[in-house]
Amino acid sequence: MASSFIVSYQEMAQIDKETQIKTKTSGLILMENAGLKAWLLLKRKIPRLFFNPLIFFIGPGNNGGDGLVMARQAIVENHPLVHIVLYKESKTTANQVNLTIIKKLRHQPLYFPAEQAKIIERTTPSSTIVDALLGIGIRKKSDKPTTKIINFINKIKNKNDAVKIVSLDVPSGMSYEANLKTIVKADFTITFGMLKDVLFYPYYNPLVGKMYVLNPGFPSFILNKYQKNVLLNPRERLLKQELKKDDFKNSRGSIVILGGSKNYLGAPVLAGLASFKTGAGLVSLITRKKDYPIQAKKNNSLIVCPIKDFQHDFLKYDCLLIGPGLSKKEDQEINFFKEKLMAQAGKLPPLVFDADGIHFFKLWQGTMKKKRNHLGEETRENSSENSSENSVVLTPHIGEMAALAGTSKMKIKQNPYYWGELLSEKFQSYIVLKTHVTFIFTPFKKTATLYHPNPSLGVGGSGDVLGGIIASLLGYYQKSHRLKNKLPQQKEQNDIVFEILKLAVSIHSLSGNLANRKLISFSAEELIRFIPLAIKALNENKWK
């Protein structure tokens, strides 16, 4: 993908407007460039294009104009089976200009719905459909003609899956909180300028198909202003995770994991082993007294300790991972740990809350809020003097994110960027939202999106592995700064944590890719084996 950044519909509209004003580039020129570049791409990606029907569904706006430029070029290049379908009158000058040219080329469009039978008659299983109805144009829910033509396109696809559908900018009908039944189901999406955020929403992303980005003429000095949401490309600008020649166990980071319960004793072990494979020197598992004998017997690598026997001097450690397999049950031991944690608030190493630790975080956050309100503003400021040392990371899946937000899972799926940015700011925490698309949100309004779907990563314990990777990387860099006896300033700390999280999700994703290629399907234990190979590949810039 050419674009490294993701924007909203509104931001893209602003980019288009600024380009036309500041560079004196007309909308007609941008449309011409978009249509011609899309046509060239289409010819490369669909070899059968010139030997089968090519059907353009044209909307009344600029998206329709892009489609008309493509159709015009196909006609000029003597494509024998070009069909143009209109369903509304042109509404923009650029659209009208291109439609006039089409008619001057002696090509007669078809009209929907009046000529539905002709359209079906001219469609074959090897047809290519270009969806140029709406693009990022926000439609009204009551727009029945548009709903009708979208349904018509989808019925053609449903009857014969071999038909290829190419959507321009975004699949038509795809907008915030839209219904899946009224969105074009695309095989390819050619988007212009920059990637649109809605393309990555977990609810809509399955309708997008393969994505391509083309720049029709938006200058870099305008595009560079819209870089708060990066599409994570592991080939570019990632930290390296390499041990130094003089590293030893006490310099590589000491991780503490609070987790495990009756039915989930293996979860914290997976996280601990993942931490070791990512480079941690020491990993301690603290658990309930009743679970201690089992954990101590089967774990040779982890230091295992009951919660109440653990030395709760948290500053001796470099990262705390709270939650793998913990269970939501509040008991005396968990409350004891929470009180010890609160007593040292403001003087803690980085905290990672995963799985049932998200529930723990809500309780801890609520108690801390009450405590701060009771102590007053002056004490609160004093307690946050070392806040640059204490970064908080949450790693929820969709259900846990919905619980944090107090909303439905569907709302999160339909607009993860809105909720992620809202909650990250509210809790002043980093959030790694785990779906088939991975999102990283920060308290300072920067976002990263990792899009490398791999269904084989959807296995029990995979999230625990990610938590261990994150904790290990945070711990290693925390220890490095401590050994230098120089903690970074808040802005530098923010940037470091953001880069660490980008590296962590890339390691996790690439580990899954490597495991998938070697094993096809795999367990979380097997996934851990591939972490060092993923780190090596990333360090050598060999992401695949």
Side-chain angles (χ1 to χ4, degrees):
M1 295 180 190
S3 172
S4 297
F5 298 96
I6 300 168
V7 294
S8 67
Y9 286 6
Q10 293 81 2
E11 287 171 328
M12 194 63 237
Q14 185 61 31
I15 289 168
D16 192 295
K17 183 178 178 181
E18 285 187 45
T19 297
Q20 294 190 47
I21 292 172
K22 293 183 178 180
T23 68
K24 304 302 180 184
T25 303
S26 70
L28 196 58
I29 291 175
L30 292 173
M31 182 179 290
E32 183 75 7
N33 291 345
L36 290 178
K37 286 189 174 186
W39 171 245
L40 291 172
L41 178 66
L42 206 60
K43 289 199 294 182
R44 290 200 307 272
K45 298 298 179 182
I46 306 180
R48 72 187 194 188
L49 191 72
F50 253 87
F51 308 101
N52 296 283
L54 180 55
I55 305 166
F56 293 86
F57 284 83
I58 302 298
N62 288 337
N63 188 253
D66 297 336
L68 286 170
V69 172
M70 294 177 70
R72 185 198 76 214
Q73 194 62 22
I75 293 167
V76 168
E77 293 182 21
N78 294 318
H79 189 297
L81 298 168
V82 175
H83 307 294
I84 296 171
V85 180
L86 307 177
Y87 79 111
K88 287 184 178 181
E89 292 296 323
S90 297
K91 290 184 178 178
T92 67
T93 302
N95 185 300
Q96 291 168 357
V97 167
N98 280 290
L99 184 56
T100 299
I101 296 172
I102 292 286
K103 290 178 178 178
K104 293 289 184 182
L105 290 170
R106 300 179 181 178
H107 190 94
Q108 185 57 44
L110 298 170
Y111 290 88
F112 182 89
E115 296 181 281
Q116 286 187 62
K118 285 185 180 179
I119 299 166
I120 293 171
E121 181 184 318
R122 297 176 190 187
T123 304
T124 72
S126 298
S127 295
T128 298
I129 290 173
V130 176
D131 157 33
L133 295 175
L134 287 175
I136 62 173
I138 303 295
R139 59 179 293 209
K140 297 177 181 177
K141 292 182 179 180
S142 60
D143 185 356
K144 291 182 180 178
T146 302
T147 297
K148 193 171 182 179
I149 196 167
I150 287 173
N151 289 340
F152 179 76
I153 293 171
N154 285 338
K155 282 179 183 177
I156 293 174
K157 177 69 174 178
N158 291 339
K159 285 182 180 179
N160 198 321
D161 193 54
V163 170
K164 296 297 182 187
I165 298 180
V166 180
S167 288
L168 301 185
D169 230 0
V170 301
S172 288
M174 186 176 285
S175 60
Y176 310 106
E177 299 190 0
N179 189 316
L180 284 182
K181 294 180 180 179
T182 58
I183 301 172
V184 170
K185 299 175 179 65
D187 296 291
F188 303 91
T189 297
I190 301 173
T191 197
F192 300 115
M194 298 178 87
L195 291 158
K196 313 308 182 296
D197 57 3
V198 74
L199 296 172
F200 298 95
Y201 290 8
Y203 187 60
Y204 303 120
N205 178 259
L207 304 181
V208 171
K210 291 183 179 179
M211 282 185 272
Y212 302 94
V213 191
L214 300 174
N215 187 345
F218 302 115
S220 59
F221 71 84
I222 292 178
L223 294 178
N224 289 344
K225 292 161 59 178
Y226 297 85
Q227 295 189 359
K228 73 168 189 173
N229 186 352
V230 62
L231 177 69
L232 187 51
N233 181 352
R235 291 182 181 277
E236 299 174 4
R237 298 185 299 277
L238 280 180
L239 285 173
K240 284 193 174 185
Q241 173 62 356
E242 292 180 307
L243 299 179
K244 297 186 285 292
K245 289 181 180 180
D246 58 346
D247 268 329
F248 64 108
K249 67 180 181 181
N250 289 323
S251 68
R252 288 167 52 179
S254 180
I255 311 303
V256 174
I257 301 172
L258 171 68
S261 59
K262 181 179 179 181
N263 296 320
Y264 303 101
L265 293 173
V269 180
L270 291 172
L273 294 177
S275 291
F276 276 129
K277 287 290 188 179
T278 311
L282 292 165
V283 180
S284 300
L285 167 58
I286 53 176
T287 190
R288 294 175 173 89
K289 187 174 182 179
K290 63 182 179 181
D291 298 325
Y292 169 73
I294 302 173
Q295 295 286 25
K297 186 176 181 180
K298 71 175 186 176
N299 289 302
N300 297 322
S301 300
L302 279 62
I303 302 166
V304 185
C305 186
I307 290 173
K308 289 196 174 180
D309 293 343
F310 180 73
Q311 293 183 1
H312 293 84
D313 182 3
F314 293 115
L315 267 182
K316 290 170 56 179
Y317 304 95
D318 301 302
C319 186
L320 304 184
L321 171 57
I322 299 170
L326 187 63
S327 89
K328 295 179 182 177
K329 181 181 177 182
E330 273 196 273
D331 54 39
Q332 187 181 19
E333 290 173 287
I334 297 301
N335 286 332
F336 175 82
F337 180 87
K338 188 172 70 174
E339 291 300 321
K340 291 289 185 181
L341 200 65
M342 285 191 304
Q344 297 178 52
K347 298 180 180 179
L348 293 168
L351 300 175
V352 181
F353 292 92
D354 178 48
D356 290 325
I358 306 290
H359 178 70
F360 184 104
F361 169 78
K362 288 185 73 176
L363 297 172
W364 181 69
Q365 185 84 353
T367 307
M368 284 301 301
K369 186 176 180 180
K370 290 179 183 177
K371 182 178 178 180
R372 287 170 179 159
N373 289 340
H374 177 72
L375 292 174
E377 186 69 32
E378 183 179 342
T379 307
R380 189 185 317 149
E381 288 177 1
N382 292 336
S383 70
S384 63
E385 284 178 0
N386 296 317
S387 61
S388 65
E389 196 178 353
N390 177 23
S391 301
V392 177
V393 180
L394 312 178
T395 62
H397 55 53
I398 288 286
E400 291 158 349
M401 188 75 162
L404 273 174
T407 188
S408 68
K409 289 190 284 188
M410 182 60 72
K411 291 288 187 185
I412 302 295
K413 288 180 181 179
Q414 287 181 325
N415 201 337
Y417 292 114
Y418 168 78
W419 292 104
E421 290 169 5
L422 181 75
L423 294 179
S424 186
E425 184 176 9
K426 176 182 177 181
F427 296 127
Q428 285 299 291
S429 303
Y430 298 82
I431 297 177
V432 178
L433 175 59
K434 301 175 291 190
T435 76
H436 73 278
V437 185
T438 304
F439 305 92
I440 302 172
F441 303 102
T442 70
F444 49 95
K445 299 186 182 302
K446 280 192 176 180
T447 303
T449 304
L450 178 68
Y451 184 62
H452 288 277
N454 178 3
S456 61
L457 264 175
V459 62
S462 177
D464 302 314
V465 172
L466 176 59
I469 293 171
I470 292 172
S472 181
L473 293 176
L474 285 172
Y476 184 76
Y477 284 95
Q478 177 81 357
K479 175 63 79 176
S480 297
H481 284 294
R482 284 180 171 177
L483 291 175
K484 293 174 186 175
N485 201 26
K486 181 183 178 183
L487 288 173
Q489 296 297 313
Q490 187 67 60
K491 185 179 185 306
E492 183 187 354
Q493 175 80 351
N494 290 343
D495 291 338
I496 290 171
V497 174
F498 189 37
E499 293 302 314
I500 285 171
L501 294 179
K502 289 194 286 186
L503 176 59
V505 299
S506 297
I507 291 171
H508 185 251
S509 179
L510 183 52
S511 299
N513 287 358
L514 295 172
N516 178 257
R517 287 208 295 274
K518 184 76 173 177
L519 306 173
I520 302 177
S521 294
F522 49 85
S523 66
E525 290 95 332
E526 291 169 315
L527 173 64
I528 292 169
R529 289 169 33 202
F530 291 87
I531 292 173
L533 298 176
I535 293 172
K536 184 175 186 292
L538 287 168
N539 285 347
E540 295 174 355
N541 197 24
K542 292 180 180 178
W543 171 280
K544 292 182 181 178

